[in-house]
Amino acid sequence: RERDTDTHTHDDDVHGMLPLVVAAAVSLYGYARRSLSISGAVSAFFVGLITAAAGLRFMLVLLLFFMSSSQITRVGARVKRRIEASYTEGGQRNWVQVVSNGGVGTALALCHLLLFGPEEQELDLVQRPLSALLVLCFVCFYAAAAGDTWSSELGVLSSSRPMLVTQCRRVPRGTNGAISLVGTLAAVAAGLFLGVGAWLFTRVVLVSDAASSTPQWILIPLAALAALVGSLIDSL
């Protein structure tokens, strides 16, 4: 019994340290890659700490968003430099951008942590509606943020001229608020990327009885829709 107690205590200690390790790793990685400024790295640390403390699914979605967005900003750097005079390779983000991209998601994760603790459970809109809605809103929020980033960073690389929605006319590449087919498809791809990641984790790790649980695949279309809507709203 003493050995079992020691093992359980050790596992709790490891689980308790995980949010701190993940938050530090994300912020240091972002700063080292010049994706984050000093203020951005500090803000990212607290965003990561709270999010990871809420549970592994929250942490996974945040990591998918952060890692993919950091890599997407580096795609086509030479082309972006020719199109946009103010372009900076790596897209270094400060604390304002980190908070605007992660503030709502962090608040949702914190609410789930305070109300339900760090326990991991599958989505159940019947038995645990509030918990499920918080998770869905969290995933959709980061899907929308990823959709905005992917569409902006990849849409500018399109060979065709984008359209300014507010004026219904073609404009030069790099024009703020303009949309293109490439950018729109990139936004949907971003949502699918986060949605599939969240679904795989939920389906493989959390669901114990697939016959009695809420369909976990709803994460995928909702995330894709949120990413599309997020990119379109940013264009208005």
Side-chain angles (χ1 to χ4, degrees):
R1 292 182 180 179
E2 291 181 358
R3 182 175 300 177
D4 292 340
T5 301
D6 292 340
T7 302
H8 182 70
T9 302
H10 176 71
D11 291 340
D12 288 342
D13 291 340
V14 172
H15 187 272
M17 289 293 294
L18 184 61
L20 184 63
V21 172
V22 170
V26 168
S27 58
L28 289 175
Y29 175 84
Y31 181 71
R33 297 275 295 183
R34 297 184 179 180
S35 297
L36 298 171
S37 65
I38 294 179
S39 67
V42 173
S43 300
F45 173 79
F46 289 105
V47 168
L49 182 64
I50 295 172
T51 303
L56 295 177
R57 177 170 45 197
F58 291 93
M59 179 181 69
L60 172 66
V61 172
L62 176 63
L63 289 176
L64 290 177
F65 165 73
F66 175 75
M67 300 297 289
S68 65
S69 297
S70 297
Q71 295 301 317
I72 287 293
T73 57
R74 299 177 182 275
V75 175
R78 294 181 180 179
V79 176
K80 294 174 184 176
R81 194 178 294 111
R82 291 199 305 267
I83 297 173
E84 303 173 353
S86 60
Y87 172 76
T88 301
E89 186 174 354
Q92 196 173 56
R93 294 172 171 80
N94 57 28
W95 73 271
V96 176
Q97 293 167 307
V98 170
V99 171
S100 63
N101 281 330
V104 174
T106 304
L108 290 169
L110 180 60
C111 286
H112 195 280
L113 175 64
L114 294 176
L115 292 173
F116 305 103
E119 294 184 3
E120 303 285 352
Q121 294 179 326
E122 69 272 18
L123 297 177
D124 194 326
L125 290 169
V126 177
Q127 298 296 327
R128 297 182 296 275
L130 181 55
S131 173
L133 287 175
L134 286 172
V135 172
L136 289 173
C137 288
F138 177 86
V139 174
C140 287
F141 171 78
Y142 274 111
D148 180 30
T149 300
W150 285 39
S151 62
S152 298
E153 296 294 337
L154 298 181
V156 72
L157 302 178
S158 174
S159 58
S160 61
R161 298 179 65 187
M163 176 173 287
L164 196 61
V165 177
T166 54
Q167 300 180 15
C168 294
R169 65 184 178 89
R170 296 287 180 178
V171 292
R173 289 187 297 170
T175 301
N176 188 34
I179 64 172
S180 66
L181 178 60
V182 172
T184 302
L185 293 177
V188 175
L192 291 174
F193 177 68
L194 263 69
V196 169
W199 168 74
L200 281 175
F201 177 85
T202 304
R203 186 66 185 85
V204 174
V205 178
L206 303 182
V207 176
S208 55
D209 185 2
S212 63
S213 63
T214 298
Q216 306 301 299
W217 54 260
I218 62 172
L219 283 163
I220 301 174
L222 287 178
L225 179 61
L228 177 61
V229 172
S231 67
L232 294 178
I233 289 177
D234 188 62
S235 302
L236 298 179

